[in-house]
Amino acid sequence: MLGRMKLYNYFRSSASFRVRIALALKGLDYEYLPVHLARNEHLAPEYAARSRDGLVPLLETDTGLRLSQSMAIIEYLDETHPRPALLPADAAGRAQVRALAQSIACEIHPLNNLRVLRYLVRDLKLDEDAKNRWYRHWVREGLLAFERQLAARPADGQGAFCWGDAPTLADCCLVPQIFNAQRFDCDLSGLPLTLAVHERCMALPAFQRAQPSACPDAEA
Ligand SMILES: N[C@@H](CCC(=O)N[C@@H](CS)C(=O)NCC(=O)O)C(=O)O
């Protein structure tokens, strides 16, 4: 018998938020299991027994398989529950959506992760102001590059969302990054296409249900 999927995650984690969006877009039921990053629960032995990399999100599938890495998890969900599709049907479209998604997940997010920020402060002795400058610098550089990519989309990729007229993997990555950017007071000027897509996504119930403030472990 198949079990219920379990998502180990944290309301503020943007990689977790990506997976929650994908689950919501596909209408999939799952158990929400909070791992409090600020209290270091991801470093505790109980979590280490489940997670090899000590990061969230971690999806335990209905067959008990443990999957890490939000992009791999979303692609797994897309292959096992193909409707609505989060990647285009054609190879060129898929490559472009993955490129948009990875320009957030691989170029921006790793530089602004909790453990990176903690290293800057604890080991390199940067003060709060320098840490925030680091954060804002890499978010802004990355989002400006993202905006240029949106502006350069070919005709078949243009539409209401990052790629075409339905949300894809790229939108799952974009929205959490904008939430984080807003939380850290990043300069979001000069990003009209990016912010318009964000707004359209946030008008959809799936994105609203997945957002940090709607999570069971949400804090003010
Ligand atoms: N590339 C990974 C990133 C996972 C990741 O770094 N998650 C963050 C939260 S967004 C985390 O667990 N951070 C804990 C830490 O940095 O100590 C993914 O996409 O799942």
Side-chain angles (χ1 to χ4, degrees):
M1 205 181 82
L2 294 179
R4 193 175 176 210
M5 283 196 283
K6 293 179 180 160
L7 184 68
Y8 293 86
N9 77 131
Y10 181 54
F11 75 109
R12 261 192 196 130
S13 145
S14 50
S16 303
F17 188 2
R18 291 174 201 152
V19 174
R20 294 196 302 265
I21 294 168
L23 286 160
L25 283 168
K26 289 179 178 290
L28 296 172
D29 173 51
Y30 63 98
E31 188 177 349
Y32 187 111
L33 292 155
V35 180
H36 202 297
L37 294 189
R39 290 191 207 125
N40 289 326
E41 285 178 6
H42 60 305
L43 306 176
E46 304 84 70
Y47 191 59
R50 287 209 161 72
S51 163
R52 302 293 161 240
D53 58 10
L55 302 173
V56 291
L58 174 78
L59 183 79
E60 228 167 80
T61 70
D62 46 12
T63 59
L65 184 67
R66 286 183 187 140
L67 297 176
S68 63
Q69 291 292 337
S70 60
M71 309 284 270
I73 294 171
I74 294 172
E75 291 221 20
Y76 167 85
L77 292 171
D78 205 37
E79 288 174 23
T80 52
H81 301 86
R83 296 282 170 270
L86 297 179
L87 285 167
D90 62 305
R94 283 197 294 279
Q96 308 217 49
V97 167
R98 288 186 178 118
L100 285 164
Q102 288 175 26
S103 59
I104 292 183
C106 305
E107 306 304 326
I108 304 179
H109 180 260
L111 292 165
N112 296 307
N113 226 319
L114 179 62
R115 60 196 179 283
V116 171
L117 301 180
R118 279 180 173 169
Y119 183 76
L120 292 176
V121 172
R122 288 181 188 168
D123 297 72
L124 302 186
K125 309 293 177 207
L126 262 60
D127 61 20
E128 193 62 17
D129 183 54
K131 182 195 81 174
N132 287 336
R133 276 176 54 203
W134 165 284
Y135 189 102
R136 292 173 188 140
H137 172 78
W138 292 117
V139 169
R140 179 138 183 90
E141 289 281 304
L143 288 179
L144 286 171
F146 191 86
E147 177 79 11
R148 290 194 294 274
Q149 290 175 77
L150 287 187
R153 282 170 299 177
D156 61 335
Q158 289 169 23
F161 295 94
C162 285
W163 189 263
D165 281 320
T168 61
L169 175 66
D171 302 279
C172 294
C173 291
L174 174 64
V175 165
Q177 190 61 62
I178 298 293
F179 265 69
N180 269 10
Q182 287 169 336
R183 190 157 79 87
F184 280 84
D185 250 337
C186 297
D187 176 7
L188 295 178
S189 60
L191 301 167
L193 299 172
T194 304
L195 293 183
V197 169
H198 173 73
E199 207 174 302
R200 284 184 208 111
C201 288
M202 286 314 299
L204 299 180
F207 284 80
Q208 291 163 14
R209 278 202 303 277
Q211 67 184 311
S213 60
C215 289
D217 57 337
E219 291 161 11

